Amino acid sequence: NRNFDAAIQALARACRLRPNDHTVWNKLGATLANSGKSEPAVVAYHQGLELKPNYARSWSNMAIAHANLGKHKDAARLYLSSLVLNPDATHIWNFLQSAVLNMNMNSQYALEATEAIDQRDLKAATQIIEGVLDPAKLPKPLDAPLRPPDETLSSIGL
């Protein structure tokens, strides 16, 4: 029996106490997403990514939240962004393939994307799927979030 509400409240307190810790924001996002609250999860992931923009786990977790929301094109872009940051996370390829298949496209784009994914060709996939992040263009990590933690948390009902 999972008590997500208690975990969410505890993590929200942790975010208030340690607002500069990207891992706490990621854990809050994951707990929100696992409890079926994917939209607020995305907000928490963004807060953490302001602090550490190259944190691949937050990118892949945000992709899962987008997939849960039925935003499969965004999910594919985010999964691939996670792979660009951490090519060794080979399990992400399966999630990426699922996102592309759920886009329900009958096009050359879908065929090319699926082929690149099947071949685990990161370069080809990034040329086919639009909007994948360029690590060289990531903003610098912040020492503190742009928004106060209470403002972010209250925006998602915490």
Side-chain angles (χ1 to χ4, degrees), residues 10 17 19-20 31 44 51 54 58 77 94 109 112-113 142 153 158:
L17 294 171
N20 304 340
T31 305
L51 299 167
N54 66 343
S58 282
R77 174 181 55 82
N94 295 327
Y109 170 87
E112 291 173 4
L142 299 177
L153 293 167
L158 300 172

Side-chain angles (χ1 to χ4, degrees), residues 6 28 44 108 142:
L28 174 61
Q108 188 64 29
L142 299 177

Side-chain angles (χ1 to χ4, degrees), residues 1 11 15 27 30 43 50 80 82 87 90 120 128 148 151 155:
N1 186 2
L11 286 164
C15 288
K27 288 173 186 171
V43 174
E50 283 181 4
L80 193 50
S82 176
T90 55
R120 304 301 196 245
I128 296 165
E151 184 179 319
S155 77

Side-chain angles (χ1 to χ4, degrees), residues 79-130:
Y79 284 131
L80 193 50
S81 295
S82 176
L83 279 167
V84 166
L85 292 169
N86 184 9
D88 293 332
T90 55
H91 65 285
I92 299 296
W93 285 104
N94 295 327
F95 293 116
L96 174 58
Q97 185 171 39
S98 177
V100 169
L101 292 173
N102 280 310
M103 290 160 75
N104 295 324
M105 298 180 305
N106 293 324
S107 67
Q108 188 64 29
Y109 170 87
L111 288 169
E112 291 173 4
T114 301
E115 185 174 313
I117 293 165
D118 286 344
Q119 295 175 3
R120 304 301 196 245
D121 188 337
L122 189 57
K123 182 177 180 183
T126 57
Q127 292 172 342
I128 296 165
I129 297 173
E130 296 176 359

Side-chain angles (χ1 to χ4, degrees), residues 3-56:
N3 190 346
F4 285 114
D5 290 338
I8 290 167
Q9 291 305 317
L11 286 164
R13 275 192 306 280
C15 288
R16 286 182 176 94
L17 294 171
R18 295 175 36 201
N20 304 340
D21 185 343
H22 67 281
T23 63
V24 175
W25 289 102
N26 182 64
K27 288 173 186 171
L28 174 61
T31 305
L32 286 163
N34 287 333
S35 71
K37 300 174 183 172
S38 291
E39 287 183 20
V42 170
V43 174
Y45 294 135
H46 276 291
Q47 189 84 344
L49 286 168
E50 283 181 4
L51 299 167
K52 189 168 182 182
N54 66 343
Y55 190 48

